[in-house]
Amino acid sequence: MTLSDIVYAALGVGALAAAVLPRVVFRRPFSLPMVFLGAGALIALLPMGIPVVDPVADRLWVEHVTEAGVVVSLMGAGLAINRPMGWKSWAGTWRLLGITLPLTVLAVAFLAWWLLDWPPAAALLLGAVLSPTDPVLAAEVRVGEPTDAEDDEDEVRFTLTSEAGLNDGLAFPFVMAAVALATAAGGGWSADWIGHWAAVDLLGRAALGVVAGLVLGRLLGWMFFRARTPALRLSEHMEGFVALGATFLTYGITELLHGYGFLAVFVAACALRSAERSHGYHNVLHEFTEQIERLLTAALLFLLGMFVASGGLAELTWPAALIGLLLIVLVRPLTGWLGQLGFAAGPRERTVVAMFGLRGIGSLFYLAYALGEHPFGALERPLWAAVAFTVLASVVLHGVSATPVITRLDRLRERSAPGVSP
């Protein structure tokens, strides 16, 4: 028996489990990500000799695999959203992005500076990488499959899904600010970087990502549904793998133009969705994307479980663990509630949206990316330990609570619907 045999067997079991387990854990206070985290931890503890991925030594590999996982999930999220993008119809999303996201970054950065005595750049980096949310890790809190009805999405699922689709790209400026601050601190304190950061990283690259996403999404929508040449009108052929082509094409072109590819992929998916909103081809694209997303997420969480069980949290301190828990149970609920003040949704919906700001694969990517841009020296492993613990805690706490909370909210919503007797 060789190591490759074990790997092939593990890949086969993992692929089958990714197909079977969602139906097993459906409507139970247990989630698929928890299963793969636990499986990875168990395998790491067995004397089988399977190598464990070290995010410091294998940083480039971790960066690109998590990058692929994020971009695929963004395409799936954009294709699933039925509601057309608008200022009023997406009001809850804009509030979470404009208020909750920066407040979360600042709150976590302050806690890291205060409790861990980290330098400002490292503290800001921790706040930035833990700011994006990821509803992929709890299927109950994201929208389902595409439909032709624009108003069949409840506010909680829609807001959490659209927030995660956009904040994966909008967290980038804060990560770049941390890198710029660290670089400036290494050469003597200077504020010269702020102007370039604001003009390029905050505004320029974000605007380019939105524009590239809109243009490419509309071009793809025209080709899929309205091209005069039948061979280009891919909606008639119902090929699901085309979703990956649209995803990677949009991401690659936008990154070549130095825009934010994450932002472009989600915007392109929304634009593609609006090209022919009621067409069944969207379901084909979404289903294929969801399957790839599920496989990538399962593999990444499996590797994360192995990393944690093999000593990945050795550099975790009690203050760092406290920051992760405070983010989940206090910082996000509080900033999420503040961001929704004055929003038309009911208090129950606002509370659930504020609670379920899951942390996931995006945080792992951003940390790997940032450490490739600037070495943070002795703080690299403590950063990985803090982020890994926070993702682990989020998967467990939100995975256990998502089903009962969302089920209860759905029942209350049905009882209060017009024409439904109590």
Side-chain angles (χ1 to χ4, degrees), residues 181-221:
L181 181 59
T183 303
W189 286 102
S190 171
D192 294 341
W193 61 272
I194 296 178
H196 179 272
W197 170 81
V200 176
D201 295 319
L202 180 61
L203 300 176
R205 297 184 67 185
L208 188 54
V210 172
V211 172
L214 283 173
V215 172
L216 291 170
R218 290 179 178 176
L219 286 175
L220 289 169

